[in-house]
């Protein structure tokens, strides 16, 4: 297992961009299952069976989704969104987490993980959404039922004496969506740099990410991102029955608490070398 710790952020990659790898660009659930299940074995099948049992409303939306245009996103498309003026972030400057969070909204689950809405935007529009885009997208009729409408249904179902103000509830909804958006940007930054700067044809699928706890894979190499915080155990990397799991810790010290953590160029270069070595070992 390879542990990579992110270092100081660089504005550019150390080496010239690698040629994008020649690999099929579409990843459906069928493709993902065929490629990832041999790495996970019986444990993966058990995790998938439990998910189907516990979250039946999620099965159709997640398994029916196909990633395609997400692999065409370039690092230059993502980087401007990582450091916008603070007024354009999901949360106002100087805000405190406790001013925004409401536990029941944080814990609310529906048929889809929130980050899937951002992936749907990429597939529909061919670009990474800004925060302004996300706010509008979550209110689109086809996306509204995934989170915003159920959140307001929950609000209206509360006894009147237990309801916070509507403004306070809206802040909690924004907080939850904003956290999903920041997570999405971390993954898009990582994926685009690995593909287009380091020539590694990483694959991803929302079911593999959300259910099987593997963010990306390439052949027999699984890649799992995590932040060093209290949620680490909630997405612990799975044990593989074959191949190798590379854990990437995005631990650089950020200037703002709501900034997007990135892996350094040197860490990504080492990961790329390890994945190529894995491929040689397995062939």
């Amino acid at each position: 297992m390879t542990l990579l710790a992110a270092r100081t952020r660089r504005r550019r990659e150390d080496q010239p961009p690698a040629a994008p790898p020649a690999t099929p660009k579409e990843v459906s659930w069928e493709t993902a299952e065929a490629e990832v299940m041999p790495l996970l074995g019986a444990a993966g099948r058990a995790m998938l069976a439990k998910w189907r049992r516990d979250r039946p409303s999620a099965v159709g939306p997640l398994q029916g989704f196909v990633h395609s245009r997400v692999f065409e996103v370039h690092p230059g498309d993502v980087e401007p969104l990582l450091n916008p003026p603070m007024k354009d972030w999901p949360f106002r400057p100087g805000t405190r987490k406790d001013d925004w969070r409401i536990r029941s909204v944080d814990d609310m689950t529906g048929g889809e993980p929130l980050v899937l809405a951002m992936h749907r935007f990429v597939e529909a529009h061919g670009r990474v959404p800004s925060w302004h885009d996300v706010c509008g997208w979550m209110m689109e009729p086809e996306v509204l039922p995934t989170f915003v409408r159920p959140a307001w249904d929950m609000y209206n179902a509360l006894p009147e004496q237990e309801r916070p103000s509507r403004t306070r509830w809206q802040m909690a909804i924004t907080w939850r969506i904003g956290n999903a958006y920041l997570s999405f940007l971390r993954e898009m930054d990582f994926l685009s740099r690995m593909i287009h700067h380091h020539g590694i044809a990483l694959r991803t699928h929302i079911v593999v990410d959300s259910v099987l706890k593997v963010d990306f894979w390439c052949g027999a190499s699984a890649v799992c991102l995590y932040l060093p915080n209290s949620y680490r155990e909630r997405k612990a990397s799975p044990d593989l029955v074959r191949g190798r799991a590379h854990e990437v810790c995005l631990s650089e010290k950020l200037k703002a608490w709501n900034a997007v953590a990135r892996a350094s160029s040197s860490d990504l270069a080492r990961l790329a070398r390890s994945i190529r070595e894995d491929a040689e070992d397995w062939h």
Side-chain angles (χ1 to χ4, degrees):
M1 185 171 290
T2 304
L3 182 62
L4 303 173
R7 295 189 179 85
T8 304
R9 179 178 302 175
R10 292 185 174 91
R11 300 294 297 175
R12 298 175 182 272
E13 299 293 332
D14 292 331
Q15 299 177 349
T23 185
K25 296 298 183 183
E26 287 194 354
V27 180
S28 65
W29 167 243
E30 290 76 17
T31 302
E33 185 171 18
E35 295 181 3
V36 176
M37 280 305 181
L39 309 183
L40 296 171
R45 290 190 293 273
M47 293 165 72
L48 191 59
K50 183 178 185 301
W51 168 69
R52 286 192 174 112
R53 183 177 64 251
D54 295 347
R55 300 280 297 279
S57 63
V59 174
L62 269 69
Q63 288 195 326
F65 185 71
V66 177
H67 295 272
S68 176
R69 302 178 83 175
V70 69
F71 302 111
E72 299 171 3
V73 170
H74 285 257
D77 302 327
V78 185
E79 188 160 359
L81 302 174
L82 305 180
N83 295 288
M86 285 297 292
K87 64 182 179 63
D88 295 334
W89 275 111
F91 319 117
R92 291 195 298 268
T95 192
R96 299 179 305 167
K97 295 181 183 181
D98 290 344
D99 294 334
W100 289 72
R101 296 182 65 179
I102 294 177
R103 179 63 62 183
S104 57
V105 178
D106 275 358
D107 293 342
M108 194 183 81
T109 58
E112 301 182 7
L114 273 176
V115 72
L116 179 56
M118 288 70 168
H119 284 285
R120 290 193 187 281
F121 184 97
V122 175
E123 296 303 325
H125 299 281
R127 62 182 176 85
V128 178
S130 66
W131 173 241
H132 178 76
D133 291 328
V134 169
C135 291
W137 182 245
M138 295 302 295
M139 297 301 293
E140 289 289 328
E142 68 271 26
V143 183
L144 194 62
T146 64
F147 183 73
V148 176
R149 182 178 292 160
W152 282 111
D153 288 345
M154 181 167 63
Y155 176 83
N156 292 324
L158 290 172
E160 188 170 352
Q161 64 273 18
E162 296 180 15
R163 290 181 196 168
S165 70
R166 293 185 68 86
T167 299
R168 181 72 180 82
W169 196 262
Q170 178 63 57
M171 289 171 68
I173 291 173
T174 303
W175 169 268
R176 177 77 183 279
I177 295 172
N179 275 325
Y181 177 59
L182 297 179
S183 176
F184 165 74
L185 289 179
R186 281 194 298 270
E187 294 182 354
M188 287 303 305
D189 175 68
F190 185 91
L191 176 65
S192 63
R193 291 164 69 200
M194 285 297 291
I195 291 176
H196 297 286
H197 280 306
H198 297 281
I200 299 297
L202 287 185
R203 317 272 272 166
T204 190
H205 193 278
I206 190 68
V207 174
V208 176
D209 184 0
S210 300
V211 180
L212 302 179
K213 314 308 179 187
V214 173
D215 292 295
F216 309 102
W217 73 93
C218 181
S221 296
V223 179
C224 304
L225 308 184
Y226 72 94
L227 296 171
N229 58 27
S230 59
Y231 294 99
R232 173 68 183 99
E233 292 305 318
R234 209 173 78 181
K235 194 175 179 181
S237 302
D239 293 327
L240 306 185
V241 297
R242 67 180 294 264
R244 182 159 63 139
H246 300 268
E247 289 189 337
V248 183
C249 178
L250 307 177
S251 60
E252 70 174 8
K253 186 174 180 58
L254 300 173
K255 295 180 180 179
W257 66 266
N258 57 352
V260 176
R262 305 175 76 194
S264 72
S265 300
S266 58
D267 284 335
L268 295 188
R270 283 198 298 272
L271 175 61
R273 286 195 298 270
S274 294
I275 290 175
R276 291 189 180 99
E277 290 169 1
D278 290 349
E280 293 174 0
D281 291 342
W282 282 99
H283 288 87

